[in-house]
Amino acid sequence: MPSRTCSHSPSGFGKSLPEQGLLLLVVLVLLEGSVLPLGAASSPDVSHQDDSHNHKVADHGVNATKKVFPVLDVDYHHIQTPFEISLWVLLASLMKLGFHLIPRLSSIVPESCLLIVVGLLVGGLIKLAGEQVPPVLDSRLFFLCLLPPIILDAGYFLPIRPFMENVGTILMFAVVGTVWNAFFVGGLLYAVCQIQPANPSSLHSIELLHCLLFGSIISAVDPVAVLAVFEEIHINELLHILVFGESLLNDAVTVVLYHLFVEYAGVGTVTVMDGFLGVISFLVVALGGVLVGAIYGILAAFTSRFTSHTRVIEPLFVFVYSYMAYLSAEMFHLSGIMALIACGAVMRPYVEANISHKSHTTIKYFLKMWSSVSETLIFIFLGVATVDGPHSWNWTFVTVTVILCLVARVIGVVGLTYIINKFRIVKLTTKDQFIVAYGGLRGAIAFSLGFLLDQNQFAHRKMFLTAIITVIFFTVFVQGMTIKPLVELLAVKKKQEAKRSINEEIHTQFLDHLLTGIEDICGHYGHHHWKDKLNRFNKKYVKKCLIAGERSKEPQLIAFYHKMEMKQAIELVESGGGVKLPSAVPSTVSMQNIQPKKPPPAKAAERALPQLPKGREEEIRKILRSNLQRTRQRLRSYNRHTLVADPYEDGFSDLLIKKQKMIELEKKIKEMNNYLTVPAAPPDSPTMCRARLASGRDTDFKPAQQQKGNKICPDPQAYSMKPVSDSVPVIQVDLASPQSPDSVNVMDEFRRANQEEDQGLMMKPPQGSSGSNKPGEADTTRDQQRLMRCLSDPGPSADEDEDEPFLP
Amino acid sequence: MSDFSVEQIKNLHKRFEQLSGNEETISRENLENIPALANNPIRRQIIGAFFDKRNQHQNEVGSFEEIGFEQFLMVMSHFRPPTLKTTEEERETMRKEKLRFLFNMHDTDNDGTITLEEYRKAVEELLSKSGAIGQEAAKAIADAAMLEVASTNVPHMAPDDFYEGITFEHFEQILKGLEMESRMHIRFLDVDTTTMHCGRSTS
């Protein structure tokens, strides 16, 4: 959840107080209002309630004695279920709103705690009203409706690189750690229960298998709770992915252990064969889940290839395929969570290459919205379910459970890290281990699994539930609240804020290839070698199938570069075009500053070029410079919750570039008109052409149709650059020549040898989706201006012939 | 020098002999003949780095025609990972060393800076397996990258100033987020892998 810290100015705070009061009032009224129908829902005498409602509302319209046609009627029963659902969702969302309005609360107490408290309140209110609390954490509702959006959101936006780099560690923690936890807690709990001497309570009757089952339920780290708490503390990527990855991947283990123990608890004994089958079952569950997810992911990617004509339903495919992956996995008792993660992670790169920018935004927003609401609802329901019970408090059992959970977690993490560090390059320090251990939060999944237990088969179900709730409360409240100050105290490394720069991207790719090469030279097939093979396979076969059109061939670096340029272009236009944007590193550096110096011009004696009077030169230079300078902005940092627009919009780039060019051109034309009165020079002297300085700048622009495939129609108004060829005389204006700072040297076309290296920002016409969507800011100040034909421009096609040279 | 273990040195020596055909030195052809390298876009730079005298840390410049096992090992030592016992200071040195290695790969004329031309060439090589699309975009990407380096390191340049090229300090500055000492490494196995290839007789 994004944690907005509201900073109110003193006057603002005063103003918002009545607003807050109003909001609280509304919330209370809503609570009261919601309690009655919610309570009424589960009470048997619904009709009685309805009648009383009827009379209250329909008083004025109905004649009590004669039953005339009811003008106004209330039929709550008709809309009951959807109404209640909507009311709960509304409650959850209003709560979320409310928390962020209270300024300091959200920074002290994590949202999850507050929501549980709200749930407790609501549950309490319902109970007070005498109604029966609805079974909100019913397992079907939880597992089929509430959990999938959160997991899909996590899976779709999973940072693949850090995940894959640490997958060994994550699997160790998830599988071995969870199994260790389950057996340790279950076993020791059984032992403790057995040694209760004085109190021959029901504890003695607990069987070992039941304890082990309980252990397996309570030992799994919960992804919802982890997400909720970790999102607010912004620790570094490595720790985040370790704990979070573990919470996702331990689902398979939990599923297997749970079913195993439920099955055999009935029988009473477990043989070695059963244990062996359990291991096989684990592999089937885990790998099967991933396989199901991957299949659906590929289907989704393949479908998205053909959606270019029906953009509006693109997001639907993503959601439906993912949900079906989850349901299919659940059908076979495979791990639904792993299926969902695999589906999201597999489909994402291909789907994003195929869908439109708007669909991309839609998917992002919908996923965030659903997962946010789901999370809120889950915590509220936890609170409500706590009030409901059923409870059976047993001091020994509960306290021993809590203590054992903590101890098991710590021992497990420390022990595993010792082993893992032998294989890791970036070792996990003690601080890291502490955070991993402390971040092992339990949540609603454990409760739901406990709730699923059959009361008849498991006599101690109530006690289990109580213990589970206590552990959940302990981890969420105590650990959740204290983890933030602890992170500060221990000075754990925080998340890096700045987005990757183009240099980092270039060098990441460079390093990948370098390390692959070194591995090849060394002769062993390491990590990089296989990654490289996978990438090549992907590029050669998979991308061609799953990505439509031109983009299937686009290398990653270029895609990254385009995205970056577009983002900047959009920022520039949105800020009013040309106005300096505030940036982290305000800079006056522009292209002009990095272009290599031209070789010194010919000696003065050989120069037959007339020079402009000084005043005029200054003016020309100033105007050109002011039009050509650009500021480079630092990109905004990426945050999982801020949805920066992804500017790969069809047609948007055209508009943008056109607009910019228009503005600049108009300015130029206006100012350059004054300079047509330069003293006449011999007819075939290049100086005549200084008059055409105006069009120089815009020549680097590539017409829009050279962008991806056929998605963008040729823009008839685009100004195209003429390809450099012998027949076109080119005038270059050297502004920054050190030899003659006071003169504008005009070199003629025979100096074209120098032009070659200036082609940096220009693209030759026929090409694919390379950086043609560069806005006007791309062709900024340069040492030399390329003067081509001017304003009466030609059509967009790059293949057309040269127009007549402008020199007579 | 490097702190390779005895096992690792033995394995690397075996590999060296395999590459050189049991001779004392290897030449560029030996490395170019490795089939797996054929798909690598920056093949030439990698091979060049082995023969670059600057990577031998003896303050010489230029390049060798052939290198012996010691020089081979010296180049490989740039890819050692840090261990739990590596101190902060040692990590800093390691990072500088690795960054220097990368810098040398780009700075082909050894003038201490990566000029725009050299950077363009580097990006072009990187995209060389991507066909025409790659080549066209390479220049733009290199220019943008250069601009970024200049903007971050020398934010206020007058319009007439000229940014010569990326110096080593600037190079360090822009890549400091990547934590080179942890990223730029390969696993040197303690197991002899030269005998473990299935069905491969050469390299």
Side-chain angles (χ1 to χ4, degrees):
Chain A
M1 310 277 137
S3 53
R4 285 176 9 225
T5 52
C6 318
S7 52
H8 292 281
S9 62
S11 62
F13 190 78
K15 263 187 280 178
S16 68
L17 207 46
E19 286 170 11
Q20 289 181 22
L22 196 62
L23 188 67
L24 283 172
L25 194 64
V26 167
V27 165
L28 279 173
V29 166
L30 210 66
L31 276 178
E32 266 307 313
S34 68
V35 162
L36 287 174
L38 288 169
S42 43
S43 81
D45 50 339
V46 171
S47 49
H48 173 67
Q49 291 275 345
D50 279 350
D51 277 338
S52 55
H53 274 287
N54 261 341
H55 287 308
K56 278 187 214 148
V57 175
D59 246 3
H60 55 284
V62 172
N63 193 340
T65 52
K66 181 169 96 173
K67 196 79 165 126
V68 293
F69 184 76
V71 175
L72 193 60
D73 197 9
V74 175
D75 187 3
Y76 181 68
H77 206 57
H78 188 57
I79 48 114
Q80 181 181 331
T81 316
F83 191 77
E84 288 171 18
I85 296 175
S86 312
L87 218 50
W88 277 114
V89 174
L90 194 59
L91 175 72
S93 317
L94 285 173
M95 284 300 111
K96 237 174 129 62
L97 261 184
F99 292 146
H100 288 288
L101 280 183
I102 305 174
R104 277 189 356 252
L105 196 60
S106 48
S107 50
I108 305 177
V109 186
E111 228 172 71
S112 38
C113 304
L114 294 170
L115 290 169
I116 293 185
V117 170
V118 168
L120 287 171
L121 280 174
V122 173
L125 277 173
I126 295 182
K127 263 240 158 99
L128 274 179
E131 304 296 343
Q132 197 186 21
V133 177
V136 282
L137 267 188
D138 172 39
S139 299
R140 279 191 64 196
L141 174 69
F142 178 77
F143 282 111
L144 294 183
C145 298
L146 291 177
L147 193 60
I150 302 178
I151 305 296
L152 180 59
D153 180 39
Y156 194 77
F157 292 110
L158 194 69
I160 295 287
R161 207 173 230 264
F163 186 79
M164 291 318 249
E165 281 173 10
N166 294 295
V167 78
T169 313
I170 293 175
L171 278 174
M172 273 289 267
F173 279 128
V175 177
V176 180
T178 310
V179 170
W180 155 260
N181 272 350
F183 280 96
F184 186 80
V185 171
L188 277 188
L189 211 52
Y190 179 68
V192 165
C193 288
Q194 293 303 92
I195 67 170
Q196 268 281 323
N199 193 0
S201 66
S202 49
L203 283 184
H204 277 273
S205 59
I206 296 187
E207 297 169 28
L208 178 62
L209 278 174
H210 291 207
C211 279
L212 286 176
L213 175 63
F214 177 72
S216 68
I217 294 177
I218 200 71
S219 63
V221 177
D222 186 83
V224 180
V226 163
L227 260 179
V229 170
F230 271 51
E231 275 303 322
E232 296 180 3
I233 62 177
H234 299 288
I235 51 170
N236 64 60
E237 205 176 42
L238 173 67
L239 286 178
H240 187 266
I241 200 72
L242 281 181
V243 182
F244 183 58
E246 179 196 344
S247 70
L248 290 175
L249 294 187
N250 66 20
D251 180 59
V253 180
T254 312
V255 164
V256 170
L257 282 178
Y258 182 81
H259 283 119
L260 196 73
F261 287 129
V262 164
E263 279 290 316
Y264 297 125
V267 178
T269 53
V270 181
T271 64
V272 173
M273 188 59 182
D274 297 325
F276 185 63
L277 280 178
V279 172
I280 304 272
S281 168
F282 165 71
L283 286 173
V284 167
V285 163
L287 295 175
V290 171
L291 190 66
V292 168
I295 292 176
Y296 275 98
I298 293 181
L299 278 177
F302 190 66
T303 312
S304 71
R305 188 181 164 182
F306 302 106
T307 55
S308 47
H309 299 291
T310 45
R311 294 278 182 201
V312 282
I313 56 171
E314 274 172 341
L316 194 65
F317 286 116
V318 171
F319 301 140
V320 171
Y321 274 113
S322 311
Y323 194 49
M324 286 194 63
Y326 181 77
L327 293 175
S328 309
E330 287 288 320
M331 178 169 69
F332 295 109
H333 280 301
L334 304 174
S335 167
I337 291 184
M338 290 181 83
L340 212 44
I341 301 285
C343 185
V346 163
M347 79 162 104
R348 187 179 176 202
Y350 308 109
V351 162
E352 294 212 333
N354 283 329
I355 61 177
S356 74
H357 148 64
K358 282 192 184 125
S359 300
H360 181 73
T361 310
T362 308
I363 292 178
K364 263 182 181 169
Y365 268 105
F366 263 90
L367 281 177
K368 303 281 173 207
M369 181 185 77
W370 273 329
S371 72
S372 174
V373 168
S374 255
E375 204 177 293
T376 314
L377 274 176
I378 287 179
F379 282 112
I380 292 184
F381 286 170
L382 254 182
V384 172
T386 308
V387 169
D388 186 25
H391 289 299
S392 157
W393 182 269
N394 184 312
W395 277 104
T396 323
F397 192 78
V398 171
T399 44
V400 169
T401 307
V402 173
I403 297 173
L404 278 181
C405 278
L406 284 173
V407 169
R409 178 83 182 153
V410 171
I411 299 180
V413 169
V414 170
L416 281 175
T417 312
Y418 179 73
I419 303 175
I420 289 171
N421 269 345
K422 294 198 203 279
F423 298 98
R424 278 182 67 91
I425 298 294
V426 179
K427 317 278 182 192
L428 294 175
T429 64
T430 321
K431 254 194 261 180
D432 294 336
Q433 291 174 39
F434 175 74
I435 296 291
V436 172
Y438 206 68
L441 307 172
R442 311 319 200 248
I445 290 186
F447 183 81
S448 298
L449 284 176
F451 206 79
L452 259 181
L453 292 173
D454 184 7
Q455 179 65 40
N456 300 325
Q457 203 182 8
F458 298 96
H460 300 277
R461 177 172 173 264
K462 289 188 188 163
M463 196 169 65
F464 286 175
L465 281 178
T466 312
I468 294 175
I469 294 236
T470 315
V471 172
I472 296 178
F473 271 44
F474 182 82
T475 57
V476 171
F477 278 90
V478 175
Q479 286 177 239
M481 273 202 268
T482 54
I483 199 169
K484 194 162 186 179
L486 274 173
V487 160
E488 303 282 336
L489 193 71
L490 292 175
V492 177
K493 212 161 50 154
K494 291 283 190 95
K495 186 154 56 166
Q496 226 186 354
E497 279 306 327
K499 180 154 170 109
R500 270 232 286 230
S501 65
I502 183 92
N503 278 295
E504 286 182 359
E505 181 71 23
I506 290 176
H507 282 96
T508 309
Q509 301 260 330
F510 194 83
L511 260 184
D512 274 346
H513 289 297
L514 172 64
L515 294 174
T516 310
I518 297 286
E519 276 187 1
D520 289 333
I521 292 180
C522 269
H524 65 252
Y525 292 147
H527 185 61
H528 290 97
H529 180 95
W530 293 114
K531 201 160 79 157
D532 189 59
K533 268 215 159 105
L534 186 67
N535 278 339
R536 271 189 287 127
F537 173 73
N538 189 16
K539 195 159 97 166
K540 203 158 159 206
Y541 299 110
V542 184
K543 271 191 179 168
K544 291 226 177 78
C545 284
L546 298 180
I547 298 184
E550 283 291 312
R551 288 202 68 183
S552 59
K553 299 197 209 76
E554 193 177 53
Q556 189 190 345
L557 185 58
I558 298 183
F560 179 88
Y561 175 65
H562 287 340
K563 267 197 185 150
M564 208 176 76
E565 286 286 296
M566 279 304 270
K567 274 190 187 131
Q568 287 175 350
I570 289 192
E571 279 174 28
L572 197 66
V573 163
E574 281 177 352
S575 78
V579 174
K580 278 196 186 182
L581 295 170
S583 66
V585 182
S587 163
T588 54
V589 178
S590 58
M591 283 310 296
Q592 172 191 350
N593 298 109
I594 66 171
Q595 289 295 330
K597 295 199 180 89
K598 294 302 141 198
K603 290 199 294 264
E606 293 176 11
R607 265 192 317 187
L609 310 170
Q611 303 195 356
L612 277 179
K614 204 161 168 182
R616 285 258 165 78
E617 289 160 17
E618 265 310 304
E619 288 169 75
I620 295 179
R621 210 186 296 156
K622 224 189 306 187
I623 288 164
L624 288 171
R625 206 175 291 143
S626 67
N627 287 332
L628 300 178
Q629 236 169 19
R630 82 161 154 174
T631 51
R632 194 87 182 179
Q633 317 305 330
R634 268 203 92 85
L635 300 163
R636 261 181 285 169
S637 65
Y638 173 72
N639 176 332
R640 185 174 167 259
H641 294 289
T642 60
L643 304 173
V644 177
D646 183 9
Y648 222 154
E649 172 70 54
D650 307 347
F652 184 78
S653 52
D654 287 344
L655 198 60
L656 169 66
I657 291 161
K658 235 195 303 187
K659 181 174 162 198
Q660 280 240 313
K661 287 183 62 62
M662 283 308 178
I663 298 173
E664 284 147 2
L665 259 158
E666 279 165 22
K667 240 197 286 183
K668 278 242 184 86
I669 295 170
K670 223 175 0 160
E671 290 161 7
M672 280 299 124
N673 274 338
N674 302 337
Y675 294 90
L676 283 173
T677 56
V678 161
D684 47 356
S685 149
T687 47
M688 277 272 280
C689 313
R690 250 183 284 118
R692 320 290 181 110
L693 279 176
S695 63
R697 222 173 145 284
D698 310 300
T699 53
D700 309 348
F701 168 66
K702 288 329 293 172
Q705 90 271 13
Q706 286 160 7
Q707 292 185 36
K708 44 187 172 171
N710 48 7
K711 279 188 181 172
I712 300 174
C713 324
D715 180 355
Q717 288 187 348
Y719 287 79
S720 66
M721 177 194 73
K722 294 296 129 206
V724 175
S725 76
D726 287 355
S727 64
V728 178
V730 164
I731 302 300
Q732 296 176 337
V733 177
D734 181 355
L735 286 179
S737 159
Q739 307 305 100
S740 53
D742 292 333
S743 68
V744 177
N745 290 327
V746 179
M747 299 195 284
D748 67 331
E749 70 262 32
F750 301 112
R751 300 270 180 109
R752 258 188 316 115
N754 301 326
Q755 295 167 13
E756 301 316 313
E757 42 186 0
D758 277 334
Q759 286 189 26
L761 294 175
M762 302 191 325
M763 314 284 184
K764 301 230 180 43
Q767 66 201 10
S769 50
S770 57
S772 51
N773 42 358
K774 223 187 282 292
E777 64 164 346
D779 43 325
T780 55
T781 318
R782 296 150 44 114
D783 276 332
Q784 313 216 348
Q785 297 222 353
R786 206 170 265 278
L787 296 180
M788 300 295 244
R789 284 192 22 251
C790 40
L791 325 163
S792 49
D793 162 329
S797 155
D799 293 331
E800 66 180 8
D801 261 323
E802 294 307 315
D803 290 280
E804 72 286 352
F806 60 90
L807 267 192
Chain B
M1 207 190 13
S2 50
D3 25 30
F4 285 112
S5 73
V6 177
E7 272 302 313
Q8 291 167 343
I9 296 183
K10 269 207 293 200
N11 289 325
L12 284 172
H13 189 73
K14 280 220 183 91
R15 177 64 180 168
F16 183 83
E17 282 178 351
Q18 209 179 35
L19 288 174
S20 69
N22 286 322
E23 301 202 1
E24 291 286 320
T25 59
I26 53 178
S27 64
R28 285 174 198 260
E29 284 75 37
N30 294 121
L31 289 182
E32 277 166 16
N33 287 336
I34 302 176
L37 267 189
N39 288 317
N40 202 316
I42 54 171
R43 189 168 84 122
R44 259 195 316 225
Q45 272 121 318
I46 300 178
I47 295 180
F50 274 88
F51 294 89
D52 190 340
K53 283 189 183 166
R54 288 175 295 179
N55 289 329
Q56 299 297 326
H57 294 200
Q58 292 185 354
N59 290 330
E60 292 178 3
V61 291
S63 53
F64 296 107
E65 283 302 318
E66 296 184 328
I67 55 171
F69 181 62
E70 267 185 36
Q71 284 108 349
F72 182 76
L73 210 56
M74 188 66 191
V75 172
M76 284 298 180
S77 73
H78 288 96
F79 296 93
R80 289 280 302 165
T83 64
L84 266 176
K85 301 195 203 76
T86 326
T87 63
E88 264 310 304
E89 239 179 57
E90 287 172 1
R91 272 177 195 263
E92 266 306 307
T93 335
M94 214 182 223
R95 184 186 311 164
K96 265 198 172 28
E97 217 178 73
K98 297 185 191 227
L99 281 174
R100 189 85 223 178
F101 186 86
L102 279 183
F103 190 81
N104 288 344
M105 284 180 85
H106 293 316
D107 182 18
T108 41
D109 62 0
N110 193 32
D111 60 355
T113 59
I114 304 179
T115 61
L116 187 61
E117 266 313 304
E118 287 169 344
Y119 209 9
R120 276 182 186 162
K121 191 124 200 326
V123 177
E124 263 174 41
E125 292 280 308
L126 197 57
L127 291 173
S128 59
K129 296 275 171 194
S130 312
I133 299 177
Q135 295 313 300
E136 299 306 332
K139 286 210 172 74
I141 295 178
D143 287 346
M146 192 76 164
L147 192 64
E148 198 178 73
V149 178
S151 312
T152 16
N153 285 302
V154 195
H156 301 287
M157 291 179 81
D160 281 342
D161 289 345
F162 176 61
Y163 183 68
E164 294 282 343
I166 311 179
T167 61
F168 185 61
E169 287 72 34
H170 294 176
F171 192 68
E172 272 183 292
Q173 177 67 23
I174 55 167
L175 290 186
K176 70 172 189 243
L178 283 185
E179 282 188 8
M180 209 50 77
E181 75 273 13
S182 319
R183 267 194 192 236
M184 184 165 141
H185 65 81
I186 64 171
R187 275 178 210 280
F188 288 100
L189 299 179
D190 291 330
V191 180
D192 184 359
T193 55
T194 55
T195 54
M196 275 168 56
H197 299 163
C198 329
R200 302 180 83 210
S201 51
T202 55
S203 90

